[in-house]
Amino acid sequence: MTRRFSGMWPALVTPFGADGKPALDVVEKLVDLFAKQGLDGLYVTGSTGQWPLLTVEERQGIVERCVKASAGRIPIMAHIGAVATDDAVTLAKHAAKVGADAVSTVAPIYYPHSADVVFEHYRRIGAASELPLFVYHIELAQKLSVGAKEYTERILSLPNIAGMKITSGDLYLFGLIHSFAGDRLQLFSGADEVMCQAVLSGSIGAIGTFYNVFGPACRRAREAMVAGQVEKARTFMLAFQQVIAKVIASGSIWSFFRAAMRVKYSLDIGMPRAPLGTLDKPWDDAEIAKLIATVDEVL
Amino acid sequence: MTRRFSGMWPALVTPFGADGKPALDVVEKLVDLFAKQGLDGLYVTGSTGQWPLLTVEERQGIVERCVKASAGRIPIMAHIGAVATDDAVTLAKHAAKVGADAVSTVAPIYYPHSADVVFEHYRRIGAASELPLFVYHIELAQKLSVGAKEYTERILSLPNIAGMKITSGDLYLFGLIHSFAGDRLQLFSGADEVMCQAVLSGSIGAIGTFYNVFGPACRRAREAMVAGQVEKARTFMLAFQQVIAKVIASGSIWSFFRAAMRVKYSLDIGMPRAPLGTLDKPWDDAEIAKLIATVDEVL
Amino acid sequence: MTRRFSGMWPALVTPFGADGKPALDVVEKLVDLFAKQGLDGLYVTGSTGQWPLLTVEERQGIVERCVKASAGRIPIMAHIGAVATDDAVTLAKHAAKVGADAVSTVAPIYYPHSADVVFEHYRRIGAASELPLFVYHIELAQKLSVGAKEYTERILSLPNIAGMKITSGDLYLFGLIHSFAGDRLQLFSGADEVMCQAVLSGSIGAIGTFYNVFGPACRRAREAMVAGQVEKARTFMLAFQQVIAKVIASGSIWSFFRAAMRVKYSLDIGMPRAPLGTLDKPWDDAEIAKLIATVDEVL
Amino acid sequence: MTRRFSGMWPALVTPFGADGKPALDVVEKLVDLFAKQGLDGLYVTGSTGQWPLLTVEERQGIVERCVKASAGRIPIMAHIGAVATDDAVTLAKHAAKVGADAVSTVAPIYYPHSADVVFEHYRRIGAASELPLFVYHIELAQKLSVGAKEYTERILSLPNIAGMKITSGDLYLFGLIHSFAGDRLQLFSGADEVMCQAVLSGSIGAIGTFYNVFGPACRRAREAMVAGQVEKARTFMLAFQQVIAKVIASGSIWSFFRAAMRVKYSLDIGMPRAPLGTLDKPWDDAEIAKLIATVDEVL
């Protein structure tokens, strides 16, 4: 593997049009925005991108448009995880064909599986293309009932493995995986709320939902942390955590992102597919502006 | 609501052909088999039927074939739950149109939701057709953080609500829901392993995977229980639990059902879509025959 | 082992006097009451008896008084579990010396332990006396990460092992343990709310808190169940579960037992040691009488 | 409150003599050692100190000896949490009388309690003396089912409240509590394995078991972190996490501490009370020396 992935990556929201279909023109504008902001990459059709509510064809359309809109300016990692292994394989091949830079997958969902079946699922996905593979981790080691070392070794044995997106606040496990894998795994923090803390456990970057709105500020904060400006990083994280907590406590998370993207970037990302956001209340523009300023003006 | 649902209902396995597609001719044979066995109903395209790995069209095709094959001999309850509310609504309308007898739905999966969003999802599904609605319960009351009484009342307020499929070993909660709802909810036990125990908590019937293989024996055991033959029911449940435990401990659950349906009924249901059953080992015919006999010959 | 244990056993409340000390005279009256009621045994200084808030000496005093008051009329099982293994051993030896009929122990509390350490703790306790040992089970097999069979075999290998008190609503695991152990383990159900359901999983009796108030009614219900009067057992369990749910939902559990023992039996058991019952509200006598009647008059 | 608490605090191990009693002469040597090492305080008779296996009198003896041995050189925080509220109150009064600098308490153990009861328990303990109170947090907010803000406000309303010992890897909740409380709560990190990460969430210091062995190295690492030497802190934490993982995975944690204190400081702390350490295997001196060097030589 020669290509390196790192830095600040929004987990791209999937914008929807009035017709309930993915709004590919807005996808294009989002990619352009994040490329111009100098962010380090885009994570496409992940959980934030509502993959479980999209058809295989819709997902392919979005990835293709992202790659085209980027035109090499910002790397595209396509989340190609699916309930059925074959769908994930199809999506991985497509991502490679259209020029995505990497693929990523969640663990199989809904049914419980043994560790062996989970890794066989990953193996087939990794082998489906030559793109670097980033396995998504959500409290998986515990579910699998194996230790951090064995878990890391199994991850490392996957074809085309390049790294992980560790969506967990458990920075002890994060650090153990990093120590076992060293440079062989590029570890992204998927828990926005401890993004700077994860640097101390070996994270090379961060992938997350809130970077759609706060990408540049979070990028500066992460760089301050890496550069040793601990007091700056601390002040930022405390403010950032407060905003995350307010958004989550509101119960209107999806409408927050819609309002914030409109207020800050004049982009309409629409509302997600039901049941997501079904009962979300609208946000007040002034409150949105205040939350945005809270984060953007810390550093 | 006039129609009553009760008794022993297999959660129908979805058979697959060599081409990886649902084998509708085998679906027909299964419906015919269970109708001739005198079972009380069929639960179609549920988790056993692999709904998350089927397209909307495939699910519609299976439900339609079941209704046709039954020709009124055995009632068909179509599980129409889906990740997207709109898909569930589409499936509910279709089920009504083709003549299914009832619809059932799991709670929304993958994303965490508030209780309000879960019930809005249910409400839209219930309102989509005039078919009786059976909500699927999996440890939901806990997740929703409401008491059993409030939970039951919210269930009762849903349009066209007729009952629940309670897939939980918690027979305390089961009994509380029954006491609160009385005749207003027809409660099916979805935990095969405590099927007779659930009678004491107010179950009116049982829906489950193992009834594909053991339907008639389980029906006799349940009737023995209802008739007060407690020692018979006890002896049966202990033997049945042992077989369930052996199948689950094998890690080769899907190939067990494939082998058992072949050995017992000469029907080939194929293997499920990956990752389900990916690493299943084949079963020995003699062992299968022994397990079948263990259950069938108790009573 | 020759002595058999079975039937309906109250987990004796520990009465306290105005001086905050165990009221041994009331202990004596309770034992006399339950013996005269024809109940099958008493489980002493368990969780209901507040063992973690009693000194070793207080526990010894209570057990001794129970044995004396019983005078052979009703068997006494002393819960001798403790945080420190040595305290449990001391209590087991004392129970044997003063003439208790059996000992019982919870798993070690507070610190996490490996399965091996848990069983070494049990082993020392079992070896401390020649009394039959009943190990207390609370979701232990899961914590220990071993299967039901291996777990049962390890239980069976303990010195003087006679049975278990399974305080879990999981009647699948209950049945598996019974199938593996057969007559070698006498299994008591410790989950009052599924007491009759547990008969189908091989329970030989029930030990629980609510039998302090409802012992005779529960004994009749359990016997009805064993005798095949399923409808009676069902009706009783549904009513009993409702009363349990009301008491638990009140948040004033300890004052319920105090009021119920006073209203029904004219016995003052006092209030428990803080923090237990600290904020309990008093119960209305009429409400208590109604709840008591609800259960007592079902059968 | 004028006194400030911060920095690196070992959660003192309780040494035992050959007679199975707390070895007060070794307690004295430990206090002297840590005072001379320039550590910032001592947390006495906590979980590491085996409080649930000690009598009230033994706990008082240890606290008294610590205060005497310190002679003002290093502050003493006495963990006075107990199963019974009255025992905790007695211990708090004693701690004040003998000159401890602060008291700390775990939440009530063994029985489940409502949030109101938990806070009433804390309130009585806080009011028992005029010493600053540090409440111990173990995933408590979740159990209490209240939000971080309400939880923090309730903590702040306790008499003599000065701070918390947050033993959780959840640095999001840690940061939220800090943001809500500001200077009103001095927050110690109780999760050794993310000790430096916690600085970014507002920790003012760290209390933990491993600082018995690695106090000075951990103090240097934490100071490096605060001073902005992020790369140093990262390198240290990764090595420290590896050692913690090795010790925990060994299953012989208590014998590790015994061997390490002997090899490094020539102090014999004996073995804990059973069941703690019951089946611990001895450590190899060379391996112990290597693990110690691994941590001590990072910075």
Side-chain angles (χ1 to χ4, degrees), chain B residues 274-294:
Chain B
L276 298 177
T278 312
L279 301 178
D280 276 22
K281 288 176 193 136
W283 284 74
D284 179 64
D285 277 13
E287 194 181 358
I288 288 283
K290 201 176 130 198
L291 287 177
I292 291 171
T294 302

Side-chain angles (χ1 to χ4, degrees), chain A residues 36 65 118:
Chain A
K36 285 181 177 151
R65 187 62 73 98
V118 169

